[in-house]
Amino acid sequence: MIVRRDETGDLLLQSAPDFVLDALQQAADLCESDDPAIRSSLIQDPYEDEKENEQWRRLVGDDLLHLFESRSEIVRTDLGAAALESSKAEEALDDVTWEVRVPIQHLSAWQETLNGASHALFAKYELTGEDTENALALVASPEKLLAVQQIRIYSILLHVLLEAEGYGDPDDIGGPEDFDSPDFDPSESESDE
């Protein structure tokens, strides 16, 4: 997959395979889930005191959930406009690729949706940091292994979106000064090692 910026400042995710598009659709679904564990992961407790956390959830919990839902709807709308790129679509499903436009004004919605979806997957599958570091240990649990792979996809894309806004280590590739290059490929960044 290649990420470039067009003349308007929008980001283009080009040559995105089907599995990436599916993972992005699932990210939006996760942020709109009614699963109590997922909803709880989206409004994490900021305080050590449980009474303060209860008050915080009561005062802002519904608003935060609504924010995640509205942000994921923006992502879902952007994904709905994805354009089929591959001319080999009739020949082999493996060759289907997509171009997804991320309007510059939607970057924060994408960032929040990808981050929220990662938290949701951790909660839904009761994942730990060790699970993400040693995914091969999850071979006995295909659902958990798939969730870890989705989290990795979200992390790479989140990294790219943050870099597009100028965040990150200035020594990393793909910083704002390099981002206009049509050859920027996030699979070459350090985040996927």
Side-chain angles (χ1 to χ4, degrees):
M1 185 172 69
I2 297 170
V3 179
R4 0 179 344 179
R5 190 182 300 274
D6 74 2
E7 65 280 351
T8 68
D10 293 350
L11 297 182
L12 300 175
L13 310 179
Q14 297 177 314
S15 301
D18 261 348
F19 75 88
V20 170
L21 201 66
D22 289 342
L24 292 171
Q25 290 282 2
Q26 289 175 29
D29 293 343
L30 286 164
C31 289
E32 296 174 349
S33 174
D34 289 331
D35 182 319
I38 289 175
R39 294 177 76 79
S40 171
S41 75
L42 296 175
I43 53 169
Q44 296 179 6
D45 295 336
Y47 302 106
E48 291 183 23
D49 181 56
E50 186 53 35
K51 286 184 182 182
E52 288 178 338
N53 285 327
E54 286 175 20
Q55 181 179 7
W56 183 82
R57 284 190 298 268
R58 191 180 78 255
L59 293 174
V60 299
D62 288 340
D63 290 337
L64 282 176
L65 290 171
H66 177 72
L67 179 64
F68 272 106
E69 290 168 359
S70 65
R71 298 303 207 165
S72 64
E73 187 57 38
I74 290 170
V75 170
R76 188 182 312 285
T77 300
D78 292 344
L79 290 171
L84 184 64
E85 281 185 333
S86 176
S87 60
K88 301 177 185 177
E90 300 83 28
E91 297 173 24
L93 289 177
D94 293 341
D95 292 335
V96 174
T97 59
W98 299 87
E99 178 178 281
V100 179
R101 176 177 297 277
V102 179
I104 193 74
Q105 66 270 26
H106 294 178
L107 274 179
S108 64
W110 277 76
Q111 292 163 357
E112 291 165 18
T113 298
L114 293 170
N115 191 45
S118 295
H119 284 278
L121 287 171
F122 268 95
K124 182 176 182 176
Y125 294 102
E126 300 177 352
L127 296 170
T128 65
E130 290 86 29
D131 292 332
T132 61
E133 295 297 320
N134 188 12
L136 291 179
L138 298 174
V139 170
S141 176
E143 296 86 12
K144 284 187 175 187
L145 184 59
L146 180 60
V148 168
Q149 296 308 320
Q150 281 181 259
I151 290 169
R152 288 182 176 166
I153 291 169
Y154 301 155
S155 296
I156 290 168
L157 289 173
L158 183 58
H159 178 84
V160 168
L161 295 175
L162 288 169
E163 281 185 340
E165 287 193 302
Y167 296 104
D169 186 341
D171 294 330
D172 285 347
I173 65 165
E177 64 283 349
D178 298 329
F179 206 78
D180 290 328
S181 167
D183 299 324
F184 178 72
D185 185 344
S187 64
E188 297 173 4
S189 81
E190 294 174 16
S191 66
D192 61 351
E193 292 179 351

